[in-house]
């Protein structure tokens, strides 16, 4: 059953989910906002797979749980997830991302998977399979934010979030391949091949681009035919902008001594 939901807000969106009786959604700690009192919450280790917390405990399921938790530890993700279930009657529960930006609902029918940047996952209904994927080789060395990816599969509704506004692209519409700043990728379908390639050389042009242009010598590449979601802001960009405006007052006054920074009263 698809989760009935509503996206609320503009530049700082949240998603409110209406759960039918017995319906469940799960999220990582830190993404929950509010709920009605009849929505029960429980915390479990590792990510749910198809049906969080359901089924018999077997040696195979315990091994799978240990593997899942191990991957999340390596990825720096929370070891636990929170599962919200409507009890006795329908209920409401709301979630949001951790950065100012948009939330997107992905409807999965089992025919494809989605790969998302680290921390993009917000919440999903219990029929969604959530896992961690790692980029290997050159992609892992130079991929930056794209080294660790979150994988969404199964059937049902999943919610992801990013910074700024979202742009939807398909590499097939642009010659089959696009180059993207690694921090701009929100998510892409598994039919799209993700990689990293060097742009420019160590000549004067390349050095100037890297030293003064604010761009690295490697960009992410997305190839193939499938949906891609990119964001207009990056986590690194937000952090750098904030760093310029934090610290002791004397660090921001400059040569004017703060003459124009305060009130003129």
């Amino acid at each position: 059953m698809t989760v009935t939901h509503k996206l609320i807000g503009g530049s700082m969106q949240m998603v409110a989910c209406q759960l039918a009786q017995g319906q469940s959604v799960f999220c990582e700690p830190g993404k929950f906002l509010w709920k009605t009192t009849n929505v029960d919450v429980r915390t479990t280790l590792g990510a749910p797979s198809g049906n969080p917390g359901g089924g018999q405990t077997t040696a195979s399921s315990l091994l799978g749980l240990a593997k899942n938790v191990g991957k999340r530890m390596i990825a720096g993700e929370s070891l636990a997830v929170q599962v919200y279930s409507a009890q006795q009657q329908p209920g409401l529960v709301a979630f949001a991302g951790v950065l100012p930006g948009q939330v997107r609902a992905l409807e999965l029918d089992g025919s494809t998977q989605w790969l998302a940047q680290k921390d993009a996952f917000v919440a999903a209904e219990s029929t969604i399979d959530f896992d961690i994927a790692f980029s290997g080789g050159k992609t892992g060395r130079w991929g930056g934010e794209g080294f660790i990816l979150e994988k969404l599969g199964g059937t049902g509704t999943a919610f992801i979030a990013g910074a700024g506004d979202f742009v939807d692209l398909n590499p097939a519409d642009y010659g089959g391949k696009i180059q993207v700043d690694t921090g701009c990728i929100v998510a892409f379908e598994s039919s799209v091949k993700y990689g990293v390639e060097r742009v420019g050389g160590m000549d004067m042009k390349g050095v100037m681009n890297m030293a003064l242009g604010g761009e690295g010598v490697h960009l992410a590449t997305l190839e193939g035919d499938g949906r891609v979601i990119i964001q207009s802001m990056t986590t690194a960009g937000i952090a750098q902008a904030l760093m310029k405006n934090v610290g002791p007052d004397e660090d921001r006054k400059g040569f004017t001594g703060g003459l124009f920074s305060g009130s003129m009263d």
Side-chain angles (χ1 to χ4, degrees):
M1 181 189 303
T2 299
V3 172
T4 301
H5 64 276
K6 181 178 181 180
L7 298 180
I8 303 171
S11 60
M12 300 182 69
Q13 285 189 323
M14 56 175 276
V15 58
C17 301
Q18 181 174 315
L19 303 181
Q21 181 179 348
Q23 191 174 26
S24 298
V25 294
F26 65 93
C27 74
E28 292 187 310
K31 305 295 177 68
F32 164 77
L33 294 180
W34 60 271
K35 68 180 182 67
T36 53
T37 56
N38 68 304
V39 173
D40 178 68
V41 57
R42 59 188 174 86
T43 302
T44 66
L45 275 180
S49 178
N51 183 16
Q56 295 181 335
T57 300
T58 64
S60 177
S61 65
L62 290 175
L63 181 62
L65 175 62
K67 181 180 179 181
N68 192 299
V69 171
K71 285 194 291 185
R72 293 174 67 83
M73 288 181 62
I74 295 173
E77 299 274 7
S78 170
L79 301 185
V81 296
Q82 295 177 313
V83 183
Y84 295 84
S85 305
Q87 305 294 321
Q88 300 178 348
Q89 61 183 349
L92 293 172
V93 59
F95 307 95
V98 296
L99 295 171
Q102 291 190 313
V103 177
R104 174 69 58 87
L106 303 177
E107 301 295 344
L108 282 73
D109 60 6
S111 63
T112 188
Q113 295 179 328
W114 277 85
L115 294 166
Q117 69 167 343
K118 186 176 182 290
D119 295 327
F121 173 73
V122 175
E125 65 179 305
S126 58
T127 52
I128 291 292
D129 296 319
F130 177 74
D131 201 358
I132 302 296
F134 298 94
S135 301
K138 181 176 68 174
T139 304
R141 289 195 303 273
W142 305 114
E145 293 91 337
F147 173 51
I148 298 170
L149 300 170
E150 298 175 330
K151 183 166 63 175
L152 300 167
T155 60
T157 308
F159 303 98
I160 59 173
D165 292 323
F166 285 171
V167 177
D168 294 89
L169 299 171
N170 186 334
D173 296 332
Y174 301 92
K177 178 179 179 180
I178 57 176
Q179 296 175 321
V180 185
D181 183 299
T182 56
C184 286
I185 299 173
V186 179
F188 53 93
E189 288 185 305
S190 57
S191 58
V192 175
K193 180 182 177 182
Y194 170 78
V196 174
E197 68 181 20
R198 187 186 183 112
V199 290
M202 295 308 293
D203 53 12
M204 182 58 67
K205 178 181 177 181
V207 172
M208 291 292 285
N209 284 341
M210 181 172 59
L212 302 179
E215 298 295 339
V217 294
H218 293 89
L219 291 176
T221 59
L222 297 166
E223 299 180 71
D225 186 1
R227 290 177 291 172
V228 172
I229 302 172
I230 64 174
Q231 59 191 6
S232 62
M233 301 175 66
T234 68
T235 303
I238 294 175
Q240 289 173 6
L242 291 175
M243 287 298 295
K244 292 180 180 179
N245 293 280
V246 298
D249 288 342
E250 54 268 23
D251 291 343
R252 302 196 298 270
K253 290 177 180 178
F255 72 92
T256 64
L259 177 62
F260 301 108
S261 61
S263 172
M264 298 298 290
D265 294 339

